[in-house]
Amino acid sequence: GVKELLETGIISLGPRTNNGEQVLYFQSANWDLDQFSMTDVLRGLAFTLDAIIESSEVQINGIVMIEDHGGLSMRQVFAMTASDVKRFLRLLQDCFPARLKGVHIVHQPWYVSIVFAIMKPFLKTKMKDRIFFHGSNYDSVHQLIDPSLLPEKFGGTLSEIDSKALPQYLLERERDQETTRQTPSE
């Protein structure tokens, strides 16, 4: 399920930027295709986005995604169906009530450009302008994202990505909602 997927660290919660944007990390190397399908990954991402937009600060300031595609296999790429990608892009562009301020792709293998070419017709101009391919060029990443918000593996100063932060945040959110439901109204 989604809980198990989030515990793998495929999707991780990062700090907020100086502008208040919520940083989310996506790490392809943590995706075990034998355990989770592309649909599972997209569900986990949609669940995460839905949870973090409860914050009015995130609704106002938006989200920055950093996608680490080091370790992305051809098998994973072939698991992405056009309908999955199209549905998810529609969700992000047309249905999602927070702004996606940037998608920064690092450590991408050559075939990510082919995937992007397939996705491009489904992207609105605004979204196309917010997708950045950095490879291993951390200088270009740092021009857009302060190194203090990035782990060392992206040339930043954070020791590592806290893969437990997102499941912990969601667990606390669930407890808060449960408490709210159980509290009798006055």
Side-chain angles (χ1 to χ4, degrees):
V2 171
K3 181 181 177 215
E4 291 79 14
L5 178 121
L6 296 177
E7 289 172 348
T8 66
I10 296 170
I11 305 162
S12 301
L13 195 59
R16 297 263 173 93
T17 68
N18 294 336
N19 297 329
E21 301 149 330
Q22 178 65 62
V23 175
L24 276 182
Y25 299 110
F26 181 89
Q27 299 179 91
S28 298
N30 292 355
W31 175 19
D32 179 355
L33 193 52
D34 293 325
Q35 190 175 4
F36 301 106
S37 69
M38 181 62 181
T39 301
D40 294 331
V41 171
L42 293 177
R43 275 189 195 127
L45 193 51
F47 180 82
T48 301
L49 292 171
D50 184 58
I52 65 173
I53 61 165
E54 286 186 2
S55 161
S56 58
E57 189 175 357
V58 173
Q59 290 174 23
I60 293 165
N61 298 317
I63 297 166
V64 173
M65 288 194 67
I66 300 172
E67 297 185 12
D68 180 2
H69 289 305
L72 180 70
S73 70
M74 288 296 280
R75 184 170 172 242
Q76 289 168 314
V77 169
F78 287 123
M80 300 176 200
T81 67
S83 63
D84 282 337
V85 172
K86 188 175 178 181
R87 257 194 330 254
F88 191 72
L89 290 175
R90 184 176 173 276
L91 170 77
L92 280 180
Q93 297 179 112
D94 301 330
C95 305
F96 190 59
R99 294 180 290 174
L100 191 58
K101 299 296 264 311
V103 178
H104 300 274
I105 300 168
V106 297
H107 302 139
Q108 72 272 14
W110 63 270
Y111 39 85
V112 168
S113 60
I114 295 170
V115 173
F116 184 69
I118 293 168
M119 292 171 52
K120 209 169 183 176
F122 304 115
L123 293 170
K124 294 181 178 180
T125 303
K126 195 174 193 178
M127 183 64 84
K128 286 179 199 171
D129 293 343
R130 293 180 178 182
I131 298 175
F132 304 92
F133 294 90
H134 301 281
S136 294
N137 180 358
Y138 302 129
D139 289 338
S140 69
V141 176
H142 297 163
Q143 289 174 11
L144 300 166
I145 301 172
D146 191 295
S148 68
L149 302 173
L150 298 169
E152 290 173 355
K153 71 188 263 177
F154 304 139
T157 59
L158 295 178
S159 59
E160 62 183 58
I161 294 173
D162 183 2
S163 62
K164 305 270 188 256
L166 180 58
Q168 184 63 36
Y169 169 81
L170 295 173
L171 180 63
E172 289 170 10
R173 175 180 163 260
E174 189 175 305
R175 284 184 190 142
D176 290 346
Q177 288 176 341
E178 189 62 34
T179 302
T180 303
R181 284 192 295 268
Q182 291 177 358
T183 304
S185 57
E186 296 181 32

